Amino acid sequence: MSTEPAEQVITVPGTGQRLDVVVAKAADVSRTVAAQMIQDGLVSVDGQRGLKSMRPDAGSEIIVTIVAAEEVEEPVQDIPIVYEDADLVVINKPVGVAAHPSPGWAGPTVTGQLARQGIAIATSGAQERAGIVQRLDVGTSGLMVVAKSEPAYAGLKQAFKDRTPTKIYHAVVQGLPDPMEGTIDAPIGRHPNATWRFAVVTDGRDAVTHYKLEEAFGTASMMRVKLETGRTHQIRVHFSAMGHPLVGDQQYGADPTLAAQLGLTRQWLHAKELGFTHPVTGEEMYLEAPYPQDLVDSLELLREE
């Protein structure tokens, strides 16, 4: 009886790109996984242990050892908790996690994961959306507040309806918007030719996005974005309409080559800051969440270039 090999060894030439980018492409893994492989000593360059920041040239020989997937245990990662009390919990939602169950989505959800972590949430509203008072796209990471008690659910739901919470996002967009600070006031609705997308349309719902340049990289720019409204895909749609789609957001016109160079498999968008009045205690809450590793890695590449 034959058995699958425990590991696979591949040899690739240098390209002048960072080693973690080369390994990610060669092994068909994310840059985060590639960096971990390099750190674990699974990658060598011309016979020497590799470092992720190396840029082997075309004459270099890169040897990558790929451990069989069945031998690697993938632990279920807990959703990071930024703040929690008896009435609410604020999380730093990872990419790839939906806010709640929905038709056609079979992946992890905030509601399901919090239940697995033993965090009881409010039951108001539809059962599959229990405790959810705001949502982030599956491909967007960052801060979300979830209600644990009924008073908190009612208070937060009303607050978001009244647009009183402060929602600050960081987004990396292609190019450099002109002006570098301003407001996009353009209604958003279903795309007339693609119902799975949204667009700026005359008969859409009002949508207001305030933005300011934080850092310019040449090919892209980091923007600080403050939402006045909360339409589906609002930031993505507004910057795409300006001709500056979010890096990695191919659904709204981003350059796939740039995304590949940066090792991005989703839009560069993170809910960085969240401010609101505690619905039970009246305390003014203001929280921040660090970038996840894929966004940190892509920023490192942008700054180097």
Side-chain angles (χ1 to χ4, degrees):
M1 177 183 291
S2 63
T3 58
E4 292 295 322
E7 60 184 37
Q8 176 187 6
V9 178
I10 59 176
T11 302
V12 294
T15 62
Q17 293 179 295
R18 279 176 51 117
L19 184 58
D20 53 349
V21 173
V22 176
V23 172
K25 291 179 181 178
D28 193 22
V29 296
S30 69
R31 278 190 57 220
T32 301
V33 172
Q36 187 62 52
M37 291 169 65
I38 296 169
Q39 183 177 325
D40 291 344
L42 299 176
V43 180
S44 67
V45 178
D46 295 332
Q48 302 296 316
R49 182 168 179 153
L51 298 173
K52 71 175 185 178
S53 60
M54 295 173 66
R55 292 178 178 268
D57 58 31
S60 300
E61 181 184 63
I62 302 169
I63 298 177
V64 183
T65 301
I66 304 174
V67 179
E70 59 269 24
E71 293 197 348
V72 180
E73 293 186 4
E74 291 288 345
V76 177
Q77 298 294 323
D78 284 351
I79 289 182
I81 304 301
V82 179
Y83 173 85
E84 183 181 8
D85 62 24
D87 296 292
L88 57 85
V89 58
V90 180
I91 64 170
N92 185 3
K93 188 188 84 66
V95 66
V97 179
H100 54 72
S102 61
W105 176 252
T109 64
V110 169
T111 51
Q113 183 63 17
L114 288 179
R116 191 193 69 81
Q117 292 174 219
I119 298 175
I121 55 180
T123 57
S124 293
Q127 183 177 0
E128 68 275 9
R129 300 186 184 187
I132 299 297
V133 295
Q134 62 165 145
R135 290 181 291 178
L136 295 179
D137 294 341
V138 171
T140 300
S141 54
L143 291 171
M144 269 186 67
V145 58
V146 181
K148 292 174 60 179
S149 71
E150 299 306 320
Y153 180 85
L156 288 169
K157 196 75 173 175
Q158 188 63 47
F160 279 97
K161 182 179 179 180
D162 294 340
R163 305 177 183 175
T164 57
T166 299
K167 298 176 287 184
I168 304 295
Y169 293 73
H170 284 189
V172 174
V173 305
Q174 293 182 189
L176 179 63
D178 182 17
M180 292 181 284
E181 179 177 359
T183 296
I184 307 170
D185 187 349
I188 290 176
R190 290 283 181 182
H191 194 287
N193 301 319
T195 57
W196 46 271
R197 292 176 58 193
F198 291 81
V200 170
V201 291
T202 55
D203 59 346
R205 301 176 68 188
D206 67 306
V208 181
T209 302
H210 307 283
Y211 69 90
K212 180 179 180 181
L213 177 68
E214 285 283 295
E215 188 174 358
F217 308 108
T219 56
S221 304
M222 164 79 78
M223 313 303 295
R224 184 177 190 270
V225 183
K226 182 177 181 181
L227 289 184
E228 188 171 314
T229 55
R231 305 304 175 210
T232 302
H233 298 181
Q234 179 172 320
I235 296 173
R236 301 165 64 188
V237 171
H238 271 172
F239 278 103
S240 178
M242 283 185 72
H244 299 280
L246 272 60
V247 172
D249 192 2
Q250 296 181 46
Q251 184 175 349
Y252 287 101
D255 178 9
T257 302
L258 178 58
Q261 291 172 346
L262 299 177
L264 281 174
T265 57
R266 53 103 163 198
Q267 66 267 13
W268 206 116
L269 182 61
H270 183 69
K272 189 73 170 62
E273 306 168 41
L274 178 65
F276 59 92
T277 301
H278 194 292
V280 177
T281 68
E283 178 185 358
E284 293 300 320
M285 311 289 295
Y286 206 90
L287 304 125
E288 296 190 34
Y291 304 137
Q293 194 60 47
D294 64 331
L295 302 189
V296 171
D297 289 342
S298 61
L299 280 181
E300 189 176 328
L301 283 175
L302 284 168
R303 287 169 178 147
E304 286 181 357
E305 295 172 0

